[in-house]
Amino acid sequence: MAQTQWWQRGIFYQVYPRSFQDTNGDGIGDLDGIRARLDYLVALGIDAVWISPIFPSPMADFGYDVADYCGIDPMFGDLDAFDRLIEEAHARRLKIVLDFVPNHTSDQHPWFAESRASRENPRRDWYIWRDPAPDGGPPNNWMSNFGGPAWTYDPASGQYYYHAFLTQQPDLNWRNPQVRAAMHDVLRFWMARGVDGFRVDVIWHLMKDANFRDNPPNPEYGPGDADIRRFLQTRSTDQPDVHAIIAELRAVIDEYEDRVLIGEIYLPIDRLVAYYGENLEGAHLPFNFQLIHASWSAPRLAELIADYDAAVPEGGWPNWVLGNHDQPRIASRIGARRARVAAMLLLTLRGTPTMYYGDEIGMENVPIATEDAHDPWEKNEPGLGLGRDPERTPMQWDASPNAGFTNGRPWLPLAADFTTRNVAVQLEQPASLLGLYRDLIALRRAHPVLHAGTYRKITALGDVLVFLRESAEECVLVALNLAGTVQDDIPLPPGTQGRVLLSTEPDRPREERVEGHLSLRPHEGVIVALDARL
Ligand code: NOJ
């Protein structure tokens, strides 16, 4: 097997810092809180922590509106706290990955204050300013991802500025070389401080059509849909020239040893894989969100795994994601029983897994009434189910008041079930979801074939998905029952012989022999080490 990098062997874990661990009683998580929980993460077995934005911000979009790229918001701590976190993480061989938000700044960023000061300001061109349309309206039909037009009129200078997200998140002009140079220096600033890489926010948005042509209508748009679905974003995102911009980012990353570049990209597979870059000069890991949108059926999962696996370019490394801070929780999407099988799938597929905090204990969406919403998207387009607060609620550490998350009043409510669904309880129960995650992660580490082997589908019939992970050294079979009914005598390829390494059903004996066929209980997944390659 070729030598692999840490981000190929390892497992990423996303921390949403506001909701992980508070140490100063303000009800909002902080850097000292993450540091206090490092031993938990080590025991879980993950390798790298990606932290959503921690930079000074007015928090209009909870940190995705950055007012200073090289600082820490006092809410989270300061640079000393950050340095302590890096030091203690590295002492435990954990990597720290930051969220880099280059597409837009906060409207409170000093660059934007200068840019909007006058048409003549040297930073005017750092952002995207356009004259009104002949009727005085916005320059084109582009919509904001959070509802309404993506253009805001600035009466002082008589022009509109573009913001793919909130009015308070003006887009930077990446065609301007000074912007690019300034942002490259931001990456260097953090890498020099020891940061191991970046998850790049909406990387496919960085370049827009040079002529600002209208987006075409979306034929699938219907009543009740978010505004952003009115048009297909073919002119406002995913432009061919974005790849040269990303290659420049990658070159900066490569100035430092062993760093990783991850890109957030919501695109169909054929366009997604372009983000590995020509000659692999793009992102190391363009996030693969296929499992987030997939329907939970064996043929569908098999199809998307095959399509993705085949589309990843030669030399490119695959990855898989089950959830993040923008998506409904996996346990709520597919149900608690299936979440166990989903965990097994995530941790046995070919490609780097990324976990979302709390999914390892089966945290579910917490219903938040529209009038209590914090998320600006819910506030702008209320009642459509777009809000992201439900998947951002505080981590459930134990049964003490506020689940051990804070001594103060948590910024979002705790789940109603936190006294029974929490880390402390599940650590005591080997049969818990947390116990399963720990076993799966340990198994992935103990059997290199699970991170480095090839993928081969065996069966995707009815509700059963069976696949192999193979290398010159070992062969592992994974069989997943996606349904709530027993699956008797699933035929396996002729000559299949092996022993069970792990089941999602804790009472199936490990080392149980498997020969020729397999029966699975409802929602059961098993991993079988084969005696010989098939
Ligand atoms: C994607 C982030 O994940 C999301 O939380 C944020 O609102 C938008 N980008 C805008 O930065």
Side-chain angles (χ1 to χ4, degrees), residues 61 64 101 104 146 165 169 199 201-202 264 325-326 388 392:
D61 189 19
Y64 285 95
V101 190
H104 43 266
F146 293 146
F165 293 88
Q169 291 169 294
R199 171 269 191 190
D201 192 64
V202 295
E264 184 206 23
H325 64 295
D326 297 324
R388 301 166 296 172
R392 297 177 176 180

Side-chain angles (χ1 to χ4, degrees), residues 68-346:
D68 170 7
Y69 284 101
C70 297
I72 301 290
D73 195 283
M75 178 183 285
F76 296 124
D78 54 21
L79 281 169
D80 287 340
F82 183 75
D83 290 342
R84 284 195 298 275
L85 173 62
I86 286 268
E87 193 183 325
E88 293 197 19
H90 284 173
R92 291 165 173 79
R93 293 170 183 265
L94 285 177
K95 307 279 187 184
I96 297 286
V97 169
L98 289 188
D99 214 310
F100 180 51
V101 190
N103 179 67
H104 43 266
T105 68
S106 161
D107 63 349
Q108 303 303 305
H109 196 295
W111 296 342
F112 189 66
E114 289 184 47
S115 185
R116 82 184 318 174
S118 77
R119 291 197 190 200
E120 290 71 43
N121 189 283
R123 287 208 217 272
R124 182 68 169 181
D125 182 54
W126 280 42
Y127 292 82
I128 298 174
W129 292 96
R130 304 287 291 171
D131 288 335
D135 67 355
N140 66 19
N141 70 359
W142 296 358
M143 303 299 290
S144 157
N145 280 266
F146 293 146
W151 297 93
T152 291
Y153 186 63
D154 178 47
S157 63
Q159 286 191 309
Y160 282 86
Y161 68 87
Y162 175 66
H163 48 90
F165 293 88
L166 298 174
T167 308
Q168 301 96 315
Q169 291 169 294
D171 278 43
L172 282 163
N173 175 16
W174 274 79
R175 295 188 187 276
N176 182 319
Q178 292 175 354
V179 168
R180 301 207 293 272
M183 295 304 269
H184 295 167
D185 282 344
V186 170
L187 296 177
R188 294 188 184 103
F189 173 87
W190 291 109
M191 286 192 285
R193 271 199 127 83
V195 164
D196 299 290
F198 301 90
R199 171 269 191 190
V200 184
D201 192 64
V202 295
I203 201 168
W204 85 108
H205 276 249
L206 290 182
M207 294 296 257
K208 304 57 164 120
D209 178 45
N211 299 314
F212 293 92
R213 284 169 290 184
D214 276 355
N215 279 326
N218 174 7
E220 286 172 18
Y221 172 77
D225 275 353
D227 264 358
I228 189 63
R229 283 183 44 81
R230 285 174 193 271
F231 300 98
L232 300 171
Q233 294 177 271
T234 51
R235 303 286 192 202
S236 50
T237 66
D238 192 32
Q239 299 301 294
D241 43 17
V242 74
H243 298 292
I245 296 290
I246 298 174
E248 286 182 6
L249 294 178
R250 171 64 182 276
V252 176
I253 295 288
D254 288 347
E255 289 169 15
Y256 294 75
E257 229 176 298
D258 247 7
R259 313 297 158 113
V260 70
L261 188 67
I262 305 172
E264 184 206 23
I265 301 147
Y266 285 93
L267 286 176
I269 290 174
D270 56 329
R271 283 152 66 203
L272 168 67
V273 294
Y275 285 76
Y276 285 100
E278 231 171 277
N279 306 316
L280 303 178
E281 285 164 351
H284 293 109
L285 301 173
F287 261 149
N288 163 21
F289 297 132
Q290 301 303 313
L291 291 178
I292 289 182
H293 300 118
S295 57
W296 197 247
S297 88
R300 181 62 201 120
L301 288 177
E303 187 185 4
L304 74 85
I305 295 166
D307 288 350
Y308 175 71
D309 209 57
V312 172
E314 179 85 32
W317 193 259
N319 74 91
W320 295 95
V321 180
L322 277 183
N324 62 39
H325 64 295
D326 297 324
Q327 304 295 336
R329 291 260 181 199
I330 179 74
S332 298
R333 289 204 314 268
I334 64 173
R337 298 283 311 274
R338 289 159 153 188
R340 296 178 69 88
V341 179
M344 185 169 275
L345 179 66
L346 176 72

Side-chain angles (χ1 to χ4, degrees), residues 452-468:
T454 55
Y455 167 90
R456 172 150 66 106
K457 184 196 89 176
I458 297 295
T459 319
L461 280 180
D463 299 310
V464 178
L465 176 63
V466 182
F467 59 87
L468 288 180

Side-chain angles (χ1 to χ4, degrees), residues 363-385:
M363 278 175 64
E364 296 185 3
N365 290 346
V366 176
I368 312 262
T370 296
E371 57 274 21
D372 299 329
H374 289 254
D375 183 14
W377 198 6
E378 178 66 28
K379 289 182 175 176
N380 285 354
E381 298 190 84
L384 301 179

